[in-house]
Amino acid sequence: MIKLEEGHDPNRVICRAFQYTHSPGIFYGKDPLEFSFPLLLLEVSLVIVITRIVRFVLKPLKQPRIVSEIIGGIIIGPSCLGRNKAFATYVFPDNSAFVMKTIGVLGFVYFLFLCGVKMDLMTMAKPGKKQICVAFFGIFTPIVSSGTVAFFVRKNLPQELGTGSSLWGVTSSVAITAFPVIYTIIKEFNLLSSDIGRVALSTAIISDVIGMHTLLVFEASKQGEGRPMAALYYIISLFVVTAFIFGGLRAVMLWIVRATPEGKPVEQIYIVFILLGVMVIGFISDFLGLAIGNAPLWYGLAIPDGPPLGATLVEKSETIITEILMPFSYVYIGLYTDIFSLSGRWSSLKPLFLITLTGYLAKILATLAVTRFYNMPIRESIALSLILSLRGQVELILFIHWTDLKMITQPAYFTLMVLMTTSATAIASPLINLIYDPTRPYMINKRRNIQHNPPNAELRIVLSIHDEESVPGFISLIEVSNPNPNSPFSVYALRLIELIGRASPLFIDHETQEGDSYISDNYTSSNPIHNALKFSHESEGEYVEIHPFTSVSPKKSMYQDICELALTKKASLIILPFDKGWLDMRNSTIEGAAAQKKVQSINFNVMNHAPCSVALLVDKGSLQGHLHGNSSISMQHIRHYFAVLFLGGPDAREALAFADRMASHPDVSLLVIRFLSPNGEGDDLIEKKLDDGLVTWFWVKNEGNSKVTYKEVVVQNGEDTLSAIQAMNDDSISLWIVGRKHGINPLLLQGLQSWSDHQELGVIGEYVSSLDLSTSASVLVVQQQILRDQRKPSKVSFFQRGFKDCVKSGSRTD
């Protein structure tokens, strides 16, 4: 085989033996690595393992995945392992490197396509002034600043980098805010649903549109260097491809959406042809001399985001693209990056370094100045400036493109740009985590709970609704909580939908935004959940006001929308569902268990960060009897028996205050059992006084109420506590009400702490919910609001906290 090596002497000829695909096996005396297929399998495995190891090591330092994978690629390249000639020759021979680079480009192409699918340009229909100004000055300022520096140092640059078109390309690259990069990193940092995350995404989309035009100007000017007609052909080709994608292919995609029945997935044949179309579009783009990444990105933009088409495409292809193809892309970067090529080259590299550094700093300062002009808090301004300065995959694609255009012909310049890109993100990422905590606004010192809510004031409640099954239980709980003319309820019903197939989360107020054109009909159309809530509102009349909302966000950040709604609406209570399927995992499927675990994670995060009290409802159907049959029948002829297990502490006091509201309902009988330790052993004196005060108030208020019974039980340990609960268990009880955990005398739970599997319920809440008690009664577990001053500060360092998050996902340290 004879091949001319690219990037080297064109007269250089390499002779190579023909390489077979498959090995007959080591028992025939053959080395498997002398054959292309086993060698490729080894390379793939090596790439994935190394990048995973680097990612695990760097994650405690709050480094995003992109940094870890670039470093993993550099480790494989000539900067580290590839510097060993034996390793490079044996594991990554030159013909193998060619395959790796080809697959790497394919990975970048599909990455851009997938990002295009997730982008929603309709969010630009109503951009805010702040986002427009941040986007404009965030691009214009660094272009001017770095361009000024470039004007003075251009004579010290290589000839290919010193031309006007090349300098425009460099200054544009450091100025752009790439949406695909911003989205992937803030999603990884769980900031998509935060205020800063939403502003960053909308700003990035506007910036991308502006930046795309600057890069197109660069492409046209580069094409026209010495050949003016080539620039004209480029513009014509660009117009034709764009018209074909947004005029023709867009119509086809909309037809596929219309042809897909509501609630059904898109047919497999369409998905296959769309994914195949990425390669066809890439070929056409390369054939016409367009940058190979442009057309696949536009092709993705032509596909309607969200369900059914965008969601199905992302669901079917995201894993294979991000986990299999993209590692090849980072190896491609690593094979071109040679840190040792920088040695002794500072004088020649300094001009490019100054241009790039000036652009980075100008972008941060410009964003900071604009956000401060709009009175954004300093912490949020700094965080947003750092987020919009993040660099990643798009910049890497540009560097590769520059090598194709012969703008970069020396490894040192390519290496410098890769290292500066990686360093910018590596420095900004931990600073973002350190400066900005999206949960901080929820930590307030104003009491918003049931116990301290005035008895004759409106009670505001947030319902967290994942599916239709939880709605009847919520409606029943609202009804028995006794809304009345003196204390009406405002219920903010938040329907939660997992974000799939689009990048930007949505938060929809159906009373004000349902008619807005830029919100997808998938989320605003009539649905059983809102219909059921609307019917319950009509049946309850003027005492209950239902305000429907929808949140479309990743499961990991749904708790932020719940807490944000509770904060802005000044709610006193958040009610969460607990899937009773958790109580009997024997009947749970793998998919069901995964979904339940996600809901459990949401509940944990809400309880940890809620700006008000939280109640967790384990609905076993015991409150829903009146909902079956004639729905117009009220609860006047249905009697409910509720039992309160009062073990002391703020959570127990909140549970008793909630139960007191129910006791005023004419159809509810209430039993309150207070558990005490012998001679006050193990009691916290302050908590004991607060418990005594509330219990005394409750008993004095209900002393003449024959439907309310109060008892006290003295127990020695946790076993006695469970025995007492078992003794009072009665088929007539339809609801157990219990505090979660805070402030309980440890003696009352002695020997039970290690028994709990569902800590969100607390030990006693889990016991009365479990199959061990043999009861069909529903359970309401209550946690009182934790004020900011009551939250325990973290005693671990920033890096220790990061390592903890790395090992145990789904939890967050305050």
Side-chain angles (χ1 to χ4, degrees):
M1 177 181 178
I2 300 177
K3 177 189 173 184
L4 292 177
E5 289 289 309
E6 295 180 355
H8 294 277
D9 183 358
N11 297 319
R12 183 183 178 190
V13 178
I14 295 179
C15 296
R16 185 185 301 115
F18 181 79
Q19 190 175 46
Y20 289 94
T21 305
H22 298 284
S23 166
I26 58 174
F27 299 108
Y28 288 85
K30 297 293 185 180
D31 183 353
L33 297 187
E34 293 179 355
F35 299 84
S36 59
F37 185 67
L39 179 61
L40 179 63
L41 295 181
L42 175 65
E43 291 168 343
V44 173
S45 304
L46 184 64
V47 167
I48 294 176
V49 168
I50 289 179
T51 53
R52 285 284 182 171
I53 292 174
V54 175
R55 186 181 176 194
F56 177 80
V57 172
L58 293 184
K59 194 171 183 180
L61 303 179
K62 295 299 182 181
Q63 292 299 325
R65 178 172 180 171
I66 176 67
V67 172
S68 304
E69 293 187 315
I70 292 175
I71 293 176
I74 292 175
I75 289 175
I76 292 174
S79 300
C80 190
L81 296 178
R83 193 155 190 84
N84 184 295
K85 293 184 178 180
F87 175 87
T89 303
Y90 198 58
V91 180
F92 284 98
D94 52 355
N95 58 334
S96 173
F98 167 76
V99 175
M100 299 290 286
K101 293 175 182 178
T102 302
I103 301 177
V105 172
L106 188 65
F108 277 130
V109 165
Y110 271 100
F111 169 79
L112 290 174
F113 163 74
L114 210 58
C115 289
V117 173
K118 295 177 182 179
M119 287 177 67
D120 181 13
L121 294 181
M122 292 305 296
T123 56
M124 295 181 58
K126 292 187 176 181
K129 290 183 179 179
K130 178 171 64 177
Q131 285 91 329
I132 294 175
C133 289
V134 170
F136 177 78
F137 285 101
I139 290 181
F140 177 77
T141 305
I143 286 180
V144 173
S145 301
S146 58
T148 302
V149 174
F151 176 79
F152 289 104
V153 302
R154 68 187 187 281
K155 293 181 180 180
N156 298 322
L157 288 169
Q159 182 179 359
E160 59 273 8
L161 266 175
T163 63
S165 60
S166 296
L167 291 177
W168 175 257
V170 173
T171 55
S172 298
S173 71
V174 298
I176 62 172
T177 299
F179 177 89
V181 176
I182 304 298
Y183 164 71
T184 53
I185 295 180
I186 67 173
K187 179 183 179 182
E188 188 176 347
F189 288 161
N190 198 23
L191 297 177
L192 279 181
S193 296
S194 66
D195 291 338
I196 289 298
R198 293 177 186 273
V199 173
L201 282 184
S202 58
T203 304
I205 290 179
I206 299 171
S207 299
D208 243 6
V209 174
I210 300 174
M212 196 177 299
H213 285 83
T214 64
L215 292 177
L216 292 179
V217 171
F218 158 72
E219 291 288 340
S221 61
K222 199 67 180 175
Q223 293 272 359
E225 281 186 350
R227 297 171 299 166
M229 289 302 298
L232 177 62
Y233 295 148
Y234 172 83
I235 294 173
I236 294 174
S237 301
L238 184 67
F239 176 79
V240 171
V241 171
T242 304
F244 172 68
I245 292 175
F246 291 101
L249 294 180
R250 172 74 174 177
V252 175
M253 302 305 164
L254 293 175
W255 177 84
I256 293 174
V257 172
R258 291 193 299 268
T260 302
E262 186 175 354
K264 299 292 184 179
V266 178
E267 291 187 20
Q268 186 77 11
I269 187 65
Y270 297 141
I271 301 299
V272 172
F273 274 109
I274 291 173
L275 293 176
L276 179 62
V278 179
M279 299 185 190
V280 176
I281 290 294
F283 169 77
I284 294 174
S285 177
D286 207 38
F287 178 78
L288 295 175
L290 307 177
I292 195 170
N294 285 339
L297 176 63
W298 300 335
Y299 180 43
L301 288 172
I303 297 174
D305 64 293
L309 186 55
T312 305
L313 276 170
V314 172
E315 200 171 11
K316 296 283 187 182
S317 61
E318 188 168 32
T319 299
I320 192 71
I321 292 172
T322 57
E323 303 296 338
I324 302 298
L325 290 181
M326 286 305 291
F328 285 95
S329 304
Y330 300 117
V331 172
Y332 185 174
I333 298 298
L335 292 177
Y336 268 101
T337 304
D338 184 1
I339 295 176
F340 294 94
S341 66
L342 302 177
S343 178
R345 299 290 303 276
W346 171 244
S347 59
S348 60
L349 296 173
K350 183 178 178 180
L352 182 59
F353 174 82
L354 291 176
I355 294 171
T356 306
L357 182 62
T358 301
Y360 290 170
L361 294 178
K363 188 175 188 65
I364 294 175
L365 295 176
T367 305
L368 183 61
V370 174
T371 52
R372 292 297 294 155
F373 176 80
Y374 281 96
N375 297 319
M376 182 179 287
I378 184 64
R379 278 179 172 266
E380 296 184 8
S381 294
I382 296 174
L384 181 61
S385 301
L386 293 172
I387 288 174
L388 296 180
S389 69
L390 295 171
R391 328 299 293 172
Q393 295 91 337
V394 173
E395 287 75 22
L396 299 179
I397 297 171
L398 286 175
F399 302 157
I400 293 173
H401 186 50
W402 292 353
T403 62
D404 294 335
L405 295 176
K406 306 301 182 184
M407 273 178 57
I408 296 178
T409 58
Q410 302 177 42
Y413 290 97
F414 184 90
T415 301
L416 176 66
M417 296 302 294
V418 170
L419 292 181
M420 292 195 70
T421 293
T422 308
S423 300
T425 302
I427 294 172
S429 297
L431 292 177
I432 294 168
N433 282 277
L434 189 63
I435 293 170
Y436 181 70
D437 181 2
T439 66
R440 183 175 177 79
Y442 315 141
M443 297 181 285
I444 60 177
N445 277 327
K446 186 174 182 179
R447 293 187 183 276
R448 292 182 183 173
N449 54 47
I450 297 176
Q451 181 185 349
H452 297 93
N453 195 71
N456 295 323
E458 178 186 55
L459 180 64
R460 300 184 178 188
I461 300 173
V462 172
L463 297 182
S464 171
I465 304 173
H466 296 272
D467 51 41
E468 297 177 30
E469 294 181 3
S470 59
V471 175
F474 284 159
I475 293 175
S476 301
L477 181 62
I478 295 296
E479 290 174 351
V480 299
S481 298
N482 195 34
N484 55 70
N486 293 325
S487 182
F489 288 4
S490 282
V491 179
Y492 303 94
L494 182 61
R495 177 191 177 203
L496 300 170
I497 300 176
E498 185 173 7
L499 181 69
I500 301 176
R502 58 176 291 128
S504 303
L506 288 174
F507 190 86
I508 307 168
D509 181 348
H510 291 275
E511 294 179 338
T512 60
Q513 295 185 14
E514 188 160 1
D516 288 351
S517 59
Y518 66 93
I519 297 178
S520 171
D521 290 338
N522 294 300
Y523 309 124
T524 59
S525 57
S526 179
N527 60 81
I529 291 176
H530 289 150
N531 287 340
L533 292 170
K534 181 180 179 182
F535 176 80
S536 93
H537 163 56
E538 293 173 350
S539 63
E540 285 298 307
E542 59 188 84
Y543 306 146
V544 177
E545 286 286 342
I546 302 292
H547 306 280
F549 294 81
T550 295
S551 165
V552 185
S553 59
K555 289 280 188 182
K556 191 177 179 182
S557 60
M558 279 182 178
Y559 78 94
Q560 296 177 11
D561 287 329
I562 299 171
C563 293
E564 182 70 23
L565 181 62
L567 180 68
T568 56
K569 300 302 180 182
K570 299 180 180 179
S572 297
L573 181 67
I574 297 172
I575 303 179
L576 305 171
F578 182 89
D579 193 333
K580 58 182 179 292
W582 266 107
L583 304 175
D584 186 9
M585 294 302 295
R586 295 170 298 179
N587 298 324
S588 178
T589 63
I590 296 177
E591 295 80 4
Q596 291 163 357
K597 194 169 184 65
K598 289 181 179 178
V599 174
Q600 182 187 37
S601 176
I602 295 170
N603 291 344
F604 259 124
N605 281 317
V606 171
M607 288 182 159
N608 288 338
H609 304 293
C612 61
S613 295
V614 182
L616 200 62
L617 177 63
V618 184
D619 179 26
K620 297 184 180 181
S622 57
L623 298 176
Q624 301 173 29
H626 68 287
L627 294 176
H628 303 292
N630 189 350
S631 57
S632 64
I633 299 177
S634 69
M635 295 187 62
Q636 294 178 358
H637 304 291
I638 306 294
R639 182 165 294 278
H640 289 278
Y641 299 91
F642 298 164
V644 178
L645 305 177
F646 190 92
L647 282 80
D651 292 352
R653 295 193 292 272
E654 188 75 356
L656 183 60
F658 198 1
D660 176 65
R661 284 182 169 269
M662 300 176 181
S664 301
H665 195 287
D667 199 46
V668 172
S669 293
L670 187 65
L671 170 64
V672 178
I673 307 294
R674 185 181 185 186
F675 294 83
L676 298 170
S677 61
N679 302 317
E681 182 181 351
D683 283 340
D684 182 303
L685 295 181
I686 297 178
E687 292 292 341
K688 181 69 162 50
K689 289 181 180 180
L690 293 173
D691 292 344
D692 291 342
L694 184 66
V695 169
T696 301
W697 167 83
F698 172 80
W699 179 239
V700 170
K701 177 183 177 183
N702 294 283
E703 187 175 9
N705 190 344
S706 61
K707 298 184 300 172
V708 177
T709 304
Y710 173 77
K711 295 181 180 180
E712 293 183 349
V713 178
V714 178
V715 295
Q716 302 281 346
N717 50 41
E719 184 177 352
D720 286 354
T721 301
L722 297 189
S723 298
I725 296 173
Q726 183 70 51
M728 72 180 70
N729 185 28
D730 193 317
D731 290 339
S732 62
I733 296 177
S734 54
L735 180 68
W736 298 94
I737 305 173
V738 59
R740 185 189 176 206
K741 65 176 183 178
H742 297 294
I744 298 178
N745 185 336
L747 185 69
L748 305 181
L749 303 179
Q750 187 177 8
L752 301 180
Q753 286 83 349
S754 60
W755 177 77
S756 178
D757 291 326
H758 304 289
Q759 296 181 11
E760 69 269 38
L761 294 175
V763 175
I764 301 301
E766 181 174 353
Y767 176 70
V768 294
S769 303
S770 68
L771 301 177
D772 297 336
L773 191 60
S774 301
T775 178
S776 60
S778 299
V779 179
L780 187 68
V781 178
V782 182
Q783 173 185 284
Q784 191 174 69
Q785 174 198 14
I786 304 174
L787 300 176
R788 176 178 295 182
D789 293 342
Q790 295 173 334
R791 296 179 186 266
K792 297 180 179 179
S794 174
K795 297 182 180 180
V796 297
S797 69
F798 172 74
F799 300 107
Q800 289 172 323
R801 184 165 67 248
F803 183 76
K804 181 180 179 181
D805 291 342
C806 175
V807 176
K808 183 179 180 181
S809 60
S811 61
R812 190 181 180 107
T813 306
D814 288 335

